Amino acid sequence: MPLKEYRICMPLTVEEYRIGQLYMISKHSHEQTAQGEGVEVLINDPIDDPQLGHGQYTEKRIHLSSRLPSWIRGLIPRIFYVTEKAWNFYPYTKTEYTCSFLPRFSISIETRYEDNNGSSENCLELSQEVLAEREVDHIDIALDPLPDHKYKESEDCTKFKSVKTNRGPLEDNWRETSNPIMCSYKAVEVKFEVWGLQTRVEGFVHRAVRDVLLLGHKQAFTWIDEWYGMTIDDIRQYEKDIQAQTNKKVLCPGEKQTVDAAEEAQTTEVIQAAD
């Protein structure tokens, strides 16, 4: 499946979005986490790169088997997780996802943020070969519909108005009239190298990625009054506090010691069957 480039505009500046995105990720992960399932944060540390400068590296385990379609659940172990590794050198980030039981599955996302309305044709500096195959998908946080079970009126950008910033509600032509305006450019590549399932799984993952991006960006804007005015130090402390609470919800007492052995046995069986 060709690389897809998602462009998501927001009525924010790039610097405001940095805080809003980090707040949204932490709060959303905590809300979506239940006993034994959800997002477990393993690493969240500062890093330095000779070219990209100062950044942040995070590594997470996303436990979510019961949330997958039944036709996928039938192919996987009962206990599994997706590993997320992210290198954040804002306004550039790179994120990779791999599966604990299937090494031939991966998702790679490169992101860059710019203060415009999605008008940059090659923001991510993709090669001409990749550009020839690329599909561009503009995600509209105001007008694109969510699945009914994910919709909340309080997170409807066509109805929300910020008390602190006076921004919103967003109207039909908001991407042309909003000031400020910024865009998140995301190049997403999905690989699932299993004959007979590749196209179906890659298509499912792209649909899921699009839904996640749409919901997350709706929340980042409609939660603006909760995070607006926070500094980067404030948001890092918020992350630490929320991560500690979230990790307790994900791992039950004694669960961590039994997961690895059970998963190892099930992983061997599934991989052998796939071969």
Side-chain angles (χ1 to χ4, degrees), residues 59-158:
E59 185 170 333
K60 303 173 183 176
R61 284 183 179 179
I62 305 170
H63 305 260
L64 41 58
S65 56
S66 71
R67 304 183 187 191
L68 297 176
S70 58
W71 62 270
I72 291 184
R73 291 202 302 269
L75 301 172
I76 64 173
R78 184 179 62 84
I79 302 171
F80 92 107
Y81 56 85
V82 171
T83 297
E84 176 194 277
K85 297 181 179 180
W87 296 262
N88 188 341
F89 296 95
Y90 202 83
Y92 169 82
T93 65
K94 182 175 181 179
T95 310
E96 295 178 352
Y97 296 89
T98 54
C99 185
S100 61
F101 80 99
L102 194 59
R104 287 168 290 183
F105 170 78
S106 65
I107 306 172
S108 176
I109 303 176
E110 282 192 82
T111 306
R112 190 173 294 278
Y113 310 99
E114 290 189 348
D115 284 312
N116 58 50
N117 67 348
S119 56
S120 294
E121 284 309 309
N122 192 12
C123 171
L124 292 159
E125 300 180 354
L126 304 174
S127 69
Q128 291 301 313
E129 189 175 21
V130 173
L131 286 174
E133 299 292 328
R134 174 192 66 176
E135 295 181 13
V136 177
D137 185 347
H138 292 269
I139 297 177
D140 191 324
I141 65 169
L143 304 180
D144 286 0
L146 280 170
D148 290 343
H149 68 281
K150 293 184 178 180
Y151 175 82
K152 292 182 181 180
E153 187 172 357
S154 62
E155 295 172 1
D156 188 332
C157 299
T158 66

Side-chain angles (χ1 to χ4, degrees), residues 11 27 32 41-42 51 54 87 92 126 135 140 143 150 152-153 161 185 196 209 215-216 219 234 256 263 268:
K27 179 177 176 178
Q32 295 300 307
V41 181
L42 304 176
Q51 294 182 325
H54 183 69
W87 296 262
Y92 169 82
L126 304 174
E135 295 181 13
D140 191 324
L143 304 180
K150 293 184 178 180
K152 292 182 181 180
E153 187 172 357
K161 186 174 184 64
Y185 295 81
V209 166
L215 176 59
Q219 291 175 332
D234 293 334
K256 190 174 182 65
E263 181 184 39
T268 302

